[in-house]
Amino acid sequence: METTAAFRQAMAQIMKSRMAFHGVKQSETAEAIGISQSQLSKILRADRPIDLETFEALCTFLGDDAAALVAQGRALADRSATNDNTDKSQDALADANTAERAPDMSGWSADEQAAYVAGHIDRFDVAAKHGDAAAEAEAFEEQP
């Protein structure tokens, strides 16, 4: 089972990736869910916990299912904990070519794949990281 800190970090990654997917900025998200942009920034850096009401407001604003996001966060935190206790040789190989390498996910469940992608979004979609929905769509269409 994951630690609270690992789960908070995983949920921060999930929330950032969902905001990027929907093409919304921190400022508009914060306004929509009734907190300051500074508070949201701290939540997304995992420096501050998110309360249930704020999380539900975020999910409602994004049109996402809260339970599904929590399940993804748990899977990501659990995978992170598992990976921390295993051989790091493949991580070093992936980090050497972050733009081109990803682990073989053929044996992973869809939830595990989604959690990995959410946790390594910078390796999969640079446009989403910057909230550029048009560039994200264009990059997706150009993939083989």
Side-chain angles (χ1 to χ4, degrees):
M1 180 58 90
E2 76 280 347
T3 66
T4 302
F7 180 67
R8 185 184 305 162
Q9 182 66 40
M11 288 306 300
Q13 291 175 352
I14 299 285
M15 290 182 286
K16 284 188 284 191
S17 70
R18 296 309 298 161
M19 287 172 54
F21 175 79
H22 290 289
V24 296
K25 298 181 186 212
Q26 282 187 23
S27 56
E28 64 186 298
T29 302
E31 183 178 337
I33 65 175
I35 63 174
S36 72
Q37 189 275 327
S38 174
Q39 288 175 317
L40 180 59
S41 178
K42 289 175 184 174
I43 290 167
L44 296 176
R45 288 193 317 262
D47 291 341
R48 175 188 178 131
I50 187 169
D51 62 64
L52 182 59
E53 292 81 17
T54 304
F55 182 67
E56 287 177 340
L58 175 72
C59 291
T60 299
F61 173 67
L62 297 176
D64 287 331
D65 179 56
L69 295 186
V70 169
Q72 289 177 6
R74 289 190 70 169
L76 180 59
D78 286 345
R79 177 166 294 289
S80 221
T82 301
N83 286 344
D84 286 344
N85 298 324
T86 57
D87 180 22
K88 300 288 186 187
S89 61
Q90 292 299 321
D91 291 345
L93 179 60
D95 288 340
N97 260 331
T98 57
E100 299 174 19
R101 304 279 319 254
D104 177 15
M105 294 186 261
S106 59
W108 297 8
S109 72
D111 286 342
E112 290 174 326
Q113 291 178 25
Y116 181 85
V117 171
H120 300 86
I121 195 71
D122 58 319
R123 293 183 186 176
F124 292 90
D125 194 348
V126 175
K129 183 175 164 185
H130 299 289
D132 186 347
E136 179 182 3
E138 183 178 277
F140 179 76
E141 290 171 4
E142 292 177 3
Q143 291 182 358

